[in-house]
Amino acid sequence: MQGHKLTVAYRGTDFSGWQRQTAKRTVQECIETALEKIWGAKISLQGSGRTDTGVHALGQVASFNAPRLHAATILQRALNANLARDVRIVKCRLVSPAFHARFDARGKTYRYLIWNRLVQDPFTLDTHWHVPRPLDLAAMRRAARLLLGRHDFASFTSNPGYERESTVRIMKRASVVRDGAEVVFHFSADGFLYRMVRNLVGALAKVGLGKITVDDFGKILRARSRSEAPATAPACGLYLMNVTYPPNRTYVTQGTSGTNIDPSVA
């Protein structure tokens, strides 16, 4: 069996999230259907994690094992030829069968977009959260800096419907910048909890609107209670940008029978 690693981009607007669900259109189901057409057999696809309904991705990672059929570039073209236009395989690598997109992941980066003008550009309706009132970016940045390092993020996670081992995560980046009408957030951490980014953005927006202070934000973080935090930001502004993995995974280079180390972590 040959391991395969896919980097996937999708517009989440018309998907009911990543994970396969009965009678619902999901990204996992779409890709597995394409794999079945190519291999003539059902193949189980593993994602690096779930994304909710309406959430987008530029760098979701998925893996599967199957008999080697094509070189990576040919498989990428074959998959895209059998996929809907709102999901694309942007990279394909042949990897060790031991590689697992979820269990081997060591970190993720998310982006969140707010359209911060009185009138929303209609072309951003499904890609940005519209916040028409002015935002105090300096206050939002001060609050975001409180997230850096190791914290218990229980205040910023929703109930996933299953037991979690821990709500402690290490936040490596939490930035807020303005680009014209856009307010852009980036969060990088060793892992994220269910709806964590959307909950963080919802609270940071309250800071920017003057509804809560930076000190209030810090108290919410330390409270470790979801009931203390503001409402969740909409799904439409959220993007999974990148998933990182250890650099020592062995990749099979197309066109050869040997192996080479591929430094790519996306």
Side-chain angles (χ1 to χ4, degrees):
M1 297 293 281
Q2 174 68 63
H4 299 75
K5 176 190 174 191
L6 307 177
T7 304
V8 189
Y10 49 88
R11 182 184 177 93
T13 306
D14 295 325
F15 286 106
S16 296
W18 166 267
Q19 189 174 18
R20 178 186 286 273
Q21 302 176 56
T22 303
K24 291 186 178 182
R25 184 175 186 254
T26 67
V27 182
Q28 182 184 22
E29 181 268 335
C30 283
I31 299 175
E32 287 182 341
T33 298
L35 291 172
E36 185 173 358
K37 290 179 180 178
I38 294 169
W39 265 270
K42 290 187 179 297
I43 293 173
S44 178
L45 183 70
Q46 307 298 323
S48 69
R50 305 174 185 178
T51 54
D52 285 343
T53 300
V55 174
H56 316 290
L58 278 74
Q60 171 70 287
V61 174
S63 62
F64 66 94
N65 289 334
R68 182 166 181 173
L69 191 62
H70 296 300
T73 54
I74 295 174
L75 177 58
Q76 179 184 6
R77 291 199 297 269
L79 282 168
N80 284 329
N82 285 282
L83 287 169
R85 294 175 64 186
D86 52 358
V87 55
R88 295 286 93 182
I89 308 302
V90 296
K91 189 182 294 185
C92 178
R93 291 289 184 268
L94 303 180
V95 299
S96 163
F99 175 78
H100 194 287
R102 177 186 172 192
F103 298 138
D104 290 339
R106 293 296 178 267
K108 293 181 181 178
T109 296
Y110 283 90
R111 179 179 71 184
Y112 195 96
L113 301 179
I114 285 178
W115 188 263
N116 188 217
R117 287 276 172 84
L118 180 62
V119 178
Q120 185 172 14
D121 181 338
F123 291 100
T124 67
L125 290 175
D126 298 320
T127 59
H128 296 62
W129 176 21
H130 182 213
V131 178
R133 291 180 54 194
L135 291 169
D136 183 346
L137 259 69
M140 295 166 72
R141 291 184 182 120
R142 290 197 301 272
R145 284 196 290 269
L146 300 178
L147 301 171
L148 296 174
R150 184 182 180 89
H151 299 284
D152 188 331
F153 287 95
S155 292
F156 297 107
T157 180
S158 302
N159 185 356
Y162 56 85
E163 192 70 24
R164 291 171 293 205
E165 291 185 7
S166 172
T167 52
V168 174
R169 298 293 186 270
I170 300 173
M171 186 72 73
K172 302 174 182 178
R173 179 187 181 188
S175 66
V176 188
V177 299
R178 178 178 287 280
D179 183 8
E182 286 186 333
V183 176
V184 185
F185 301 79
H186 279 101
F187 300 94
S188 296
D190 62 344
F192 288 86
L193 301 162
Y194 181 53
R195 292 189 178 173
M196 178 172 156
V197 174
R198 290 169 58 192
N199 291 332
L200 288 171
V201 172
L204 289 170
K206 291 293 185 183
V207 173
L209 292 167
K211 301 292 186 181
I212 62 174
T213 66
V214 174
D215 287 342
D216 291 334
F217 185 89
K219 290 175 183 177
I220 292 169
L221 174 62
R222 294 188 296 272
R224 296 179 294 177
S225 172
R226 178 68 192 124
S227 63
E228 298 294 317
T232 307
C236 61
L238 183 60
Y239 298 75
L240 173 56
M241 299 299 292
N242 186 45
V243 186
T244 56
Y245 294 91
N248 58 349
R249 283 293 177 188
T250 301
Y251 291 74
V252 179
T253 303
Q254 67 174 60
T256 72
S257 59
T259 60
N260 289 300
I261 300 299
D262 184 335
S264 170
V265 295

